[in-house]
Structure formats: C-alpha cells, structure tokens
C-alpha cells in the first residue's frame, strides 16, 4: 500500500497480522475484505492488492509470531492509531468551524493556492497583525530575513535566513509558496519566481524570496482588510 497509515493498510494489518493468517484465507475472499476497507477503489485494484499481500506472505520466511503478545501489541497500537485519526479529524472540523468566523481567514484564502488549513495555520501563528508596524518585522518574526555574517573587514557573500521566530509559520509559508507555484496557484507569485530564476538565483533562494514576497502581501491584505488581486 502506498500509505502505511491509511485506513485500508491498517485494517488489513489488523485483520491479518501474520503471513499465516493471510495464507489461511482464499485470495478472492482477501480481495473482498480489501474492497470493504476501501470502497472508493475499483474491484481490480482490490484484487491486485490482495494478490500482492498474498505473494508477500508466501515470500515471508516467518509465517507466524512466536509470541502472541506481539500480535496483541500490534493490534493495540493499530487501535490507538485509529483513535488518534478520529481525534485529529474532529479537531480539524473544529478548526474549520472557528476559522469561518474570522475575516482574516477568507482574506488569506483569496491568494490562489492557499487552502483552508494553511490559512488557519498562518492566522494562528501571526495572531494580530497590528503587533507589527512594518512588514519587515513580520518577515523577521517568521525567521526568513537574511542573516549577515560580518567580522572586522570580513563580510560573507552568502547569506542564509535567520530561522529565528516562529518555526511553525516559517514551515507553513514554505508549503504555501510551493502550493502557490502550481499551475492552479498565484500567477503573480509564479511570475516573481520566474524573474528570480532568470536572474540566476537557485531554486531554494527563489523560494525564500517568494516567502518574503508572500509575507509582504499578507501583511498588506490584513492591514487593508481587502482580498488579493492576482494580476501579474
């Protein structure tokens, strides 16, 4: 399975924790169980996955577990993961409900490429934008401002970001920029990125420049209480 922690993967592991339990079930029945765990997939996909699971069980030299406690512990951990996933889903629904009541949530989402989760995280990390009287202070708070190394007559020619301030905001902004640079994202930010690349900037340097630009836009939008205009 592509995702070890997906529901279908965990349910198959929960029902068939050892190679022997897989081999004890006919392959068509195993395919039916996989289809029950993931009804959104086709019967052909379920049959393919069941075949792959069975072939893996045949190759496995350890058909069973010597200690039943291992299987018990495995099932217990899988149940815990299901509970955590349910709790996270409930929290996400609460975040979405609360965010809809905040004006800034809609403003930030007006930037093409930024979705609900990213917008909510940016709002929670920035807090009140009035705390910052200049966009450069917001950039410094995110830790994406350049860090200059100087000592006497020496001055570094390569500057890195300071990485001070909110690491959560910094990480979210990097994800936001990557989303904005997609085909369905912001044309303005994509044009800015392309200009930086044409100037000879490396990809990472251009992305950091985009993060700075995006933060400046967010600052202005929140201050003016207006939506983003994506005109390059």
């Amino acid at each position: 399975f592509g995702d070890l922690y997906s529901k279908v993967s965990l349910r198959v592991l929960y029902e068939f924790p050892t190679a022997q339990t897989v081999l004890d079930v006919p392959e068509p029945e195993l395919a039916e169980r996989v289809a029950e765990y993931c009804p959104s997939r086709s019967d052909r996909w379920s049959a393919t996955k069941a075949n792959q699971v069975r072939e893996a069980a045949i190759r496995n030299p350890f058909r069973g577990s010597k200690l039943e406690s291992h299987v018990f512990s495995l099932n217990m951990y899988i149940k815990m993961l299901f509970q955590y996933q349910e709790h996270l889903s409930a929290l996400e629904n609460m975040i979405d409900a609360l965010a809809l009541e905040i004006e800034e949530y809609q403003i930030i989402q007006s930037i093409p490429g930024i979705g609900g989760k990213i917008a909510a995280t940016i709002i929670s990390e920035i807090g009140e934008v009035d705390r910052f009287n200049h966009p450069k202070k917001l950039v410094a708070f995110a830790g994406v401002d350049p860090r200059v190394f100087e000592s006497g007559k020496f001055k570094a020619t390569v500057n890195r970001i300071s990485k001070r301030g909110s690491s959560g905001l910094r990480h979210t902004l990097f994800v936001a920029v990557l989303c904005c640079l997609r085909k369905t994202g912001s044309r303005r930010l994509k044009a800015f990125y392309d200009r930086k690349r044409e100037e000879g900037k490396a990809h990472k340097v251009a992305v950091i420049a985009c993060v700075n630009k995006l933060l400046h836009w967010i600052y202005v939008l929140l201050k003016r209480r207006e939506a983003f205009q994506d005109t390059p």
Side-chain angles (χ1 to χ4, degrees):
F1 298 97
D3 183 4
L4 177 62
Y5 300 101
S6 67
K7 289 185 177 180
V8 59
S9 176
L10 290 175
R11 288 188 181 277
V12 169
L13 185 58
Y14 182 81
E15 293 293 335
F16 308 98
T18 65
Q20 190 60 52
T21 55
V22 172
L23 297 175
D24 289 342
V25 179
E27 189 170 321
E29 183 178 340
L30 181 61
E32 290 180 3
R33 302 292 287 276
V34 173
E36 290 177 6
Y37 302 149
C38 193
S40 61
R41 294 284 190 169
S42 65
D43 292 339
R44 181 177 180 181
W45 181 87
S46 301
T48 300
K49 292 302 177 183
N51 179 260
Q52 291 174 347
V53 170
R54 189 171 182 84
E55 288 182 352
I58 293 173
R59 294 194 304 269
N60 187 3
F62 306 101
R63 293 298 173 87
S65 175
K66 291 184 177 180
L67 298 176
E68 286 297 323
S69 60
H70 290 170
V71 177
F72 177 82
S73 297
L74 176 65
N75 290 342
M76 181 184 66
Y77 288 136
I78 292 174
K79 287 182 178 179
M80 290 173 62
L81 281 173
F82 282 138
Q83 290 178 347
Y84 289 147
Q85 289 175 352
E86 291 178 2
H87 293 163
L88 286 173
S89 179
L91 285 173
E92 288 178 353
N93 292 333
M94 291 177 63
I95 290 172
D96 292 339
L98 290 171
L100 291 174
E101 302 174 2
I102 303 174
E103 181 185 6
E104 291 85 349
Y105 180 71
Q106 305 295 339
I107 292 174
I108 295 178
Q109 277 198 96
S110 66
I111 302 174
I114 295 184
K117 298 297 183 295
I118 292 178
T121 305
I122 291 175
I123 292 171
S124 65
E125 292 291 339
I126 292 178
E128 293 292 335
V129 73
D130 292 334
R131 297 190 300 145
F132 310 96
N133 57 17
H134 196 278
K136 287 186 178 180
K137 291 188 177 182
L138 180 57
V139 170
F141 174 75
V144 290
D145 54 327
R147 180 174 53 181
V148 180
F149 290 95
E150 292 183 356
S151 178
K153 295 182 179 180
F154 171 78
K155 184 175 182 180
T157 56
V158 178
N159 295 327
R160 302 181 183 275
I161 59 175
S162 65
K163 291 188 178 180
R164 59 185 175 184
S166 172
S167 60
L169 176 59
R170 186 166 56 252
H171 173 74
T172 303
L173 289 169
F174 277 109
V175 174
V177 165
L178 295 178
C179 292
C180 289
L181 292 179
R182 295 175 180 173
K183 291 183 179 180
T184 56
S186 170
R187 292 175 295 174
R188 284 179 63 184
L189 195 64
K190 183 63 168 64
F192 179 78
Y193 171 84
D194 291 339
R195 286 199 303 271
K196 291 298 177 182
R197 293 289 282 158
E198 290 171 1
E199 293 171 4
K201 304 294 185 183
H203 168 71
K204 290 184 178 180
V205 176
V207 169
I208 292 173
C210 288
V211 171
N212 277 268
K213 178 65 70 174
L214 181 61
L215 262 181
H216 278 75
W217 288 347
I218 291 174
Y219 179 86
V220 173
L221 293 175
L222 294 180
K223 282 286 189 179
R224 296 178 180 177
R225 291 289 192 270
E226 61 184 23
F228 183 75
Q229 301 297 324
D230 193 36
T231 304

